[in-house]
Amino acid sequence: MSSLYIHIPFCLSKCPYCSFVSYPGMDKLHQRYVAALLLEAQWLHQNASVSPLSTLFLGGGTPTIFSGRELAQLVSCCQELFAFSDQAEISIEANPKTINPEKLSLLRHSGINRLSIGVQSFNDKELQLLGRPHSAEDAAEAVQLARAAGFDNISLDLMYGLPGQDHYSWQQTLEQAISIAPDHLSLYELTVEQGTPYHLQRNQGLLDLPDEENMVIMDQLTATLCRQAGLAQYEISNYARPGYECRHNINYWQNGPYLALGAGAVGCVDGRRRQKTCDPRHYCEQIESGQSVVQEEECLERTASFRETVVMGLRMTCGVSKIQLQQRYEMDLDDYYGDTLIHLVNQGLVEITASHLRLTARGRSFANQVMAELV
Ligand code: SF4
């Protein structure tokens, strides 16, 4: 499976917890950036050979900050340049404040068949603390509009472990989300990243984060409510109705090849990982003058790639396929990890079935620790 990712690094405002490559207030650059993306797509088409693309993902930032026409142009340019497999998954991330019926209809008609809406919370006070530009009502309306525009694969992003949040408000958010029948949920625990305003606030003791007990209850609530709603956990943070798992992200977790376009985007093909320059102005200048936008390049040797495939694969509930590892790397899991793996099995953190290595339910609670041992 091969994928293409397009990064749109612009947002309405900067959320105080965000460490992504995203910039507010660069509206004047938008048109120029789209033109640069189209040029980079042509260059990529001429210089990278990948099998037919199974997925395309427009992420950000806030891709829907662009007009429907600009986004449709990007998608159709990619469809003309690259071969896509039948039934390719084409996703876009959307902020409830940047969509309307006309834009959604244009997106749907352009071939985009999966919408990932950044909701984060259905509690207005929490949304305010998160610096989100939309309300809970805006988010619920966005889902209705998307359904009316013909989207039958809708994912909601929610966050827990938020300032001022307890397990009661997380339950309300989750129940509200489930009541509007999403096909997929991405549920992320807030991480306070260095360099963000939240990091500064936490260091000053101004961030009122939930305690351990509340976090444990939130995890239990998540498992129970999603199971009751028919949303099966297929990755540490992701839940879906059967058949609605995000194929684009599964390709990442399987460490498959992916191309990337745009400022700050990372692509990896044939063991070569390339990160593009993060500054959108610099990105445009480089593309316009025919120069490279690659800021960093890393060549992964076989064993490093093997370990990465194991660790990424463990994120998925099904785990990592032993046969596929053997075929891809001609390396054996047990031989490579030896006592480390035996120790993790004995601790009840991972299990080895006839076909897979995977985290146990207990192991999912200590996923970072397990991965640190295997990476
Ligand atoms: S909308 Fe998303 S990408 Fe943009 S600033 Fe907020 S968290 Fe970051």
Side-chain angles (χ1 to χ4, degrees), residues 10-11 13-15 17-20 22 60-62 95 132:
F10 307 113
C11 287
S13 52
K14 186 79 180 175
C15 305
Y17 58 90
C18 176
S19 63
F20 298 133
S22 69
T62 304
N95 178 305
R132 305 288 300 182

Side-chain angles (χ1 to χ4, degrees), residues 178-225:
I178 287 168
S179 74
I180 49 182
D183 306 292
H184 185 284
L185 284 178
S186 293
L187 310 176
Y188 298 110
E189 181 180 341
L190 172 76
T191 48
V192 178
E193 302 283 355
Q194 226 169 357
T196 61
Y198 264 21
H199 192 255
L200 191 66
Q201 286 175 34
R202 191 183 63 182
N203 288 352
Q204 294 171 337
L206 300 173
L207 210 56
D208 172 27
L209 296 171
D211 58 22
E212 191 64 34
E213 193 186 337
N214 264 294
M215 292 303 291
V216 170
I217 302 174
M218 284 190 224
D219 279 337
Q220 289 165 349
L221 276 167
T222 302
T224 308
L225 292 175

Side-chain angles (χ1 to χ4, degrees), residues 75-365:
V75 173
S76 71
C77 166
C78 291
Q79 286 169 329
E80 279 164 28
L81 289 172
F82 300 98
F84 278 83
S85 57
D86 290 345
Q87 315 290 325
E89 176 190 275
I90 305 184
S91 308
I92 188 167
E93 289 179 337
N95 178 305
K97 260 296 191 242
T98 55
I99 50 177
N100 57 45
E102 295 73 37
K103 191 184 282 189
L104 285 167
S105 173
L106 262 171
L107 298 182
R108 186 68 194 92
H109 281 105
S110 75
I112 295 175
N113 49 27
R114 183 174 184 276
L115 194 69
S116 171
I117 305 177
V119 174
Q120 315 314 349
S121 169
F122 278 103
N123 178 308
D124 282 336
K125 203 169 148 229
E126 288 169 6
L127 286 171
Q128 250 177 15
L129 284 171
L130 287 171
R132 305 288 300 182
H134 60 87
S135 66
E137 199 183 331
D138 291 334
E141 195 191 341
V143 177
Q144 276 183 359
L145 294 179
R147 290 280 186 222
F151 281 97
D152 55 11
N153 188 349
I154 296 178
S155 176
L156 305 182
D157 275 9
L158 299 173
M159 287 168 67
Y160 64 100
L162 307 178
Q165 189 182 45
D166 59 21
H167 65 85
Y168 297 108
S169 67
W170 173 238
Q171 180 168 354
Q172 280 172 357
T173 279
L174 209 44
E175 284 175 347
Q176 171 86 26
I178 287 168
S179 74
I180 49 182
D183 306 292
H184 185 284
L185 284 178
S186 293
L187 310 176
Y188 298 110
E189 181 180 341
L190 172 76
T191 48
V192 178
E193 302 283 355
Q194 226 169 357
T196 61
Y198 264 21
H199 192 255
L200 191 66
Q201 286 175 34
R202 191 183 63 182
N203 288 352
Q204 294 171 337
L206 300 173
L207 210 56
D208 172 27
L209 296 171
D211 58 22
E212 191 64 34
E213 193 186 337
N214 264 294
M215 292 303 291
V216 170
I217 302 174
M218 284 190 224
D219 279 337
Q220 289 165 349
L221 276 167
T222 302
T224 308
L225 292 175
C226 286
R227 191 175 53 246
Q228 286 169 353
L231 294 158
Q233 183 175 23
Y234 70 101
E235 193 266 350
I236 289 175
S237 308
N238 286 277
Y239 300 76
R241 293 207 289 126
Y244 288 80
E245 298 83 6
C246 177
R247 284 189 271 146
H248 186 84
N249 286 338
I250 288 175
N251 188 41
Y252 286 148
W253 298 319
Q254 290 179 338
N255 212 3
Y258 51 95
L259 300 170
L261 295 173
V266 179
C268 188
V269 177
D270 296 334
R272 282 182 187 276
R273 181 173 296 137
R274 297 184 174 97
Q275 159 136 32
K276 316 290 171 72
T277 178
C278 292
D279 178 345
R281 275 199 194 89
H282 185 233
Y283 170 83
C284 291
E285 286 161 9
Q286 292 291 100
I287 294 278
E288 287 159 2
S289 58
Q291 295 182 63
S292 169
V293 287
V294 176
Q295 181 177 281
E296 255 180 60
E297 181 162 342
E298 184 189 4
C299 192
L300 289 172
E301 44 101 11
R302 189 169 65 114
T303 50
S305 177
F306 172 84
R307 287 196 302 272
E308 221 170 63
T309 303
V310 171
V311 168
M312 298 288 284
L314 281 179
R315 295 193 61 89
M316 292 185 291
T317 310
C318 66
V320 55
S321 159
K322 294 195 296 186
I323 296 167
Q324 281 174 13
L325 274 177
Q326 181 74 46
Q327 285 171 345
R328 185 168 168 184
Y329 297 101
E330 295 174 349
M331 288 169 70
D332 183 78
L333 259 179
D334 302 289
D335 292 346
Y336 184 77
Y337 285 112
D339 289 346
T340 308
L341 203 52
I342 293 169
H343 188 56
L344 290 171
V345 171
N346 289 341
Q347 286 179 296
L349 296 172
V350 299
E351 59 187 349
I352 304 175
T353 68
S355 58
H356 284 74
L357 168 72
R358 63 186 182 207
L359 292 175
T360 58
R362 180 173 131 77
R364 279 201 285 277
S365 305

